[in-house]
Amino acid sequence: MPAQEVREAVSDFREKHAYGDEPQDCFAPWYLKTTFGLAPTEAIRMSAESLQGNNGPGYDYGIDGFCLTTEENYPILTLVQAKYSNDIRYIAKGVRDFEKSIAWLKRALYQEESDFPQENKVLVNLRSELAKLPEEEKKKLKLYFVVIHLSEEDDAILNNRTKDAQEELKDLILTSFPDH
């Protein structure tokens, strides 16, 4: 979908559901609704707080949204980093922002209580969803890390320009989650 259409759809989502201070606050929930067919309220629940939230922006440890699904008897956790920009530098930053989520996610998979002093509601809700998974399901969990953005550059160019960030993240994921 062209960037201008995405901007319009995200703005429409914000107007219809009265969520967030700016359109970028609705980018992750709009994506979750559009991609996974979630109800808008569920997509908002699975997204980071805007300035309106108790903890405001931040304390999300690199996770702007998530969706837990099942495919071929495997639970799949899709983590979303939303960059409401067409600037490739921000896309690379989005990939790097996921690095902050690894330590949090590693703990959250196997404990219900947080070790972190402050957390965005997206993390509280994600931990709650992970706690519902039986232990054998947690061991089979597949992880997908998705950076959503507004760049209309060719995928080959984007991958080339974010290659270093992607490789760093991949190495961190493989060492932190060798079974996932």
Side-chain angles (χ1 to χ4, degrees):
M1 179 182 289
Q4 187 55 39
E5 287 182 31
V6 171
R7 282 185 179 93
E8 291 169 10
V10 170
S11 290
D12 288 347
F13 182 96
R14 181 173 171 261
E15 287 177 28
K16 283 182 185 172
H17 306 292
Y19 179 74
D21 297 308
E22 301 290 332
Q24 59 263 26
D25 296 333
C26 292
F27 195 26
W30 169 84
Y31 172 81
L32 294 171
K33 175 190 169 293
T34 303
T35 303
F36 297 100
L38 300 177
T41 53
E42 189 67 0
I44 290 168
R45 187 183 75 79
M46 294 179 171
S47 300
E49 289 174 299
S50 69
L51 291 172
Q52 296 175 354
N54 293 330
N55 289 327
Y59 305 108
D60 63 12
Y61 295 94
I63 300 172
D64 290 331
F66 74 92
C67 188
L68 189 60
T69 57
T70 303
E71 185 178 294
E72 297 177 16
N73 295 323
Y74 284 94
I76 298 170
L77 176 58
T78 301
L79 300 173
V80 177
Q81 178 56 231
K83 295 300 180 193
Y84 199 68
S85 172
N86 63 352
D87 190 326
I88 294 175
R89 292 174 298 180
Y90 285 118
I91 299 166
K93 182 184 181 319
V95 174
R96 286 190 176 93
D97 283 349
F98 275 130
E99 293 176 12
K100 296 183 263 185
S101 69
I102 301 301
W104 182 91
L105 185 58
K106 196 171 181 179
R107 286 191 197 117
L109 269 171
Y110 298 103
Q111 68 185 42
E112 291 183 37
E113 296 296 318
S114 175
D115 293 338
F116 297 88
Q118 271 190 302
E119 291 181 333
N120 195 295
K121 65 122 174 142
V122 70
L123 301 181
V124 174
N125 293 335
L126 175 53
R127 183 181 299 100
S128 173
E129 293 297 314
L130 292 172
K132 294 175 189 175
L133 286 176
E135 290 303 315
E136 61 274 2
E137 293 291 305
K138 288 180 185 178
K139 292 175 185 173
K140 297 189 305 184
L141 184 68
K142 291 183 180 183
L143 301 171
Y144 290 142
F145 294 81
V146 178
V147 177
I148 59 172
H149 54 83
L150 298 174
S151 178
E152 295 182 24
E153 284 285 351
D154 184 80
D155 286 346
I157 292 170
L158 289 174
N159 282 327
N160 187 42
R161 299 271 307 273
T162 61
K163 182 179 176 183
D164 291 343
Q166 289 182 49
E167 287 178 2
E168 291 167 16
L169 179 61
K170 183 179 177 183
D171 290 344
L172 183 58
I173 292 167
L174 290 174
T175 57
S176 299
F177 302 105
D179 299 330
H180 298 281

